[in-house]
């Protein structure tokens, strides 16, 4: 590159400033347009929200939505409680079934028979693990799905505690329910059985309730909102006309042409307001007459 001369440097700097100025001008224009649009939307939104039927419609829709959500929430909690109770009972019954049937095989460490029984138990779609432990808490049989490598010795402290105490152990997390029952033969604890059951069914209930909420929102938006808006507009249209007449009266226009065709209390309000405006206009005309006319002679007063 060749160095720029003084005049070329000045021209390049001027060109750079011109381009920068144009970019800045465009950015300013876009900012002004965005501000104008936001201000327009906000002002129209405020004006729309001032309408009685709009507020009444929104309050009605929000009330229906809140009521529906409360009912769905109560139903969801009721269902989840019932499902958790059923899952816990299932886990306990499955473990109890294994302890009653396979006590001899567990005592004799007949791995094949115990594993076949555990695999049959684990055939339930919600059971994710079925295991048998020695009285020292070491796993010696498991269903095929949850089985660990045979080279690894699996120790379960909960199974050891159950074998030592002879009492069942129940545990629960957000994803599963687990029962460990002691296995007794001839009055002696010879091991323990674990059955772990999944809570994925609860996730299905939650998805079902989410679908219900979406459907309720769709029904509200497509069906109830137009109907409620139409009813509210019909019921409160007279209030809007009274508001318009009051604004005109505040501006000095007392010739009230307010229609009194609304039903119910809104119609009574229109009638009362119209009567008030007529009476106010008559009083003002009377005051003007008294101010500019002699009460004795009836002649206009001199300026």
């Amino acid at each position: 590159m060749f160095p720029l001369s003084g005049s070329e440097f000045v021209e390049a700097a001027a060109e750079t400033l011109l381009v920068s100025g144009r970019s800045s001008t465009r950015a300013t224009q876009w900012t002004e347009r965005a501000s104008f649009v936001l201000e327009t939307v906000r002002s129209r939104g405020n004006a729309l929200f001032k309408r009685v039927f709009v507020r009444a419609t929104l309050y009605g829709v929000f009330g229906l939505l809140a009521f529906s959500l409360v009912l769905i929430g109560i139903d969801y909690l009721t269902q989840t409680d019932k499902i958790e109770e059923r899952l816990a009972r299932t886990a306990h019954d499955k473990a109890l079934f294994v302890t009653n049937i396979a006590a001899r095989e567990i005592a004799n460490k007949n791995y094949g028979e115990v594993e076949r029984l555990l695999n049959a138990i684990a055939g339930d779609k919600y059971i994710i693990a079925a295991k048998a432990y020695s009285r020292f808490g070491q796993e010696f049989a498991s269903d095929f799905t949850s089985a660990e490598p045979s080279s690894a010795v699996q120790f379960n402290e909960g199974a050891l505690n159950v074998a030592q105490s002879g009492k069942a152990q129940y545990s629960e997390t957000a994803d599963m329910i687990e029962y460990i029952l002691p296995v007794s033969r001839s009055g002696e604890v010879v091991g323990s059985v674990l059955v772990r059951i999944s809570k994925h069914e609860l996730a299905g209930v939650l998805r079902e309730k989410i679908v219900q909420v979406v459907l309720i929102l769709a029904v509200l938006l497509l069906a109830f909102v137009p109907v409620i808006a139409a009813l509210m507009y019909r019921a409160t249209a007279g209030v809007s006309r009274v508001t318009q007449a009051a604004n005109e009266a505040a501006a000095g226009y007392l010739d009230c042409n307010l229609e009194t065709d609304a039903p119910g209390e809104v119609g009574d309000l229109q009638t009362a307001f119209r009567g008030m405006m007529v009476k106010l206009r008559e009083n003002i005309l009377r005051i003007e007459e008294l101010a500019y006319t002699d009460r004795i002679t009836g002649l206009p007063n001199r300026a």
Side-chain angles (χ1 to χ4, degrees):
M1 291 182 60
F2 297 99
L4 296 177
S5 62
S7 60
E8 291 175 341
F9 178 79
V10 172
E11 291 178 358
E15 183 69 20
T16 302
L17 291 175
L18 181 61
V19 172
S20 177
R22 291 175 180 174
S23 300
S24 178
T25 301
R26 291 176 182 175
T28 303
Q29 291 176 349
W30 279 109
T31 303
E32 292 176 352
R33 290 177 183 176
S35 300
F36 175 76
V37 171
L38 292 176
E39 185 64 28
T40 302
V41 171
R42 185 175 63 179
S43 61
R44 291 185 178 180
N46 291 335
L48 187 63
F49 191 72
K50 289 180 180 179
R51 302 292 297 274
V52 177
F53 86 94
V54 174
R55 296 199 304 273
T57 301
L58 291 177
Y59 296 153
V61 170
F62 287 148
L64 285 174
L65 181 60
F67 181 72
S68 301
L69 292 178
V70 169
L71 290 181
I72 290 175
I74 293 174
D75 184 53
Y76 171 73
L77 293 176
T78 303
Q79 286 194 36
T80 53
D81 288 341
K82 291 181 178 179
I83 291 173
E84 287 184 351
E85 181 181 353
R86 176 169 56 80
L87 292 177
R89 186 171 59 252
T90 300
H92 178 270
D93 293 346
K94 295 289 186 181
L96 184 62
F97 174 77
V98 175
T99 60
N100 292 334
I101 299 297
R104 184 179 63 181
E105 283 74 12
I106 293 175
N108 297 331
K109 294 185 171 56
N110 190 348
Y111 306 109
E113 291 297 326
V114 176
E115 284 186 351
R116 278 194 290 270
L117 182 58
L118 294 177
N119 282 321
I121 294 296
D124 190 304
K125 63 178 180 178
Y126 295 118
I127 293 181
I128 56 178
K131 300 178 181 294
Y133 297 90
S134 69
R135 61 191 180 93
F136 301 108
Q138 293 179 337
E139 178 185 323
F140 70 88
S142 173
D143 67 286
F144 179 77
T145 304
S146 65
E148 299 290 341
S150 58
S151 59
V153 177
Q154 300 298 321
F155 172 77
N156 189 314
E157 184 177 355
L160 175 62
N161 294 334
V162 168
Q164 290 179 347
S165 64
K167 297 180 180 179
Q169 176 177 299
Y170 170 82
S171 60
E172 180 179 354
T173 66
D175 300 323
M176 64 85 183
I177 295 174
E178 182 179 277
Y179 256 109
I180 305 178
L181 295 183
V183 178
S184 300
R185 189 182 183 198
S186 301
E188 181 183 357
V189 177
V190 295
S192 58
V193 172
L194 176 148
V195 173
R196 186 178 298 133
I197 195 164
S198 173
K199 285 186 174 182
H200 289 167
E201 186 178 356
L202 297 178
V205 175
L206 180 59
R207 286 194 297 269
E208 179 183 346
K209 298 308 173 185
I210 292 175
V211 171
Q212 288 184 7
V213 171
V214 173
L215 290 177
I216 288 176
L217 288 175
V219 170
L220 284 176
L221 292 176
L222 299 178
F224 282 101
V225 170
V227 173
I228 293 175
L231 293 176
M232 291 299 179
Y233 179 78
R234 183 177 180 182
T236 61
V239 177
S240 299
R241 289 198 291 269
V242 171
T243 302
Q244 182 180 359
N247 291 331
E248 292 177 355
Y253 299 98
L254 301 180
D255 294 330
C256 185
N257 296 319
L258 178 65
E259 298 180 359
T260 57
D261 55 350
E265 295 179 349
V266 177
D268 295 339
L269 175 63
Q270 289 178 329
T271 302
F273 185 83
R274 182 185 178 93
M276 181 186 69
M277 294 302 298
V278 171
K279 189 66 175 177
L280 178 61
R281 187 170 182 274
E282 291 177 353
N283 290 338
I284 291 177
L285 291 176
R286 179 61 178 165
I287 292 173
E288 290 179 350
E289 181 182 358
L290 293 175
Y292 296 106
T293 305
D294 188 274
R295 296 180 60 184
I296 298 176
T297 64
L299 298 176
N301 291 327
R302 295 181 179 181

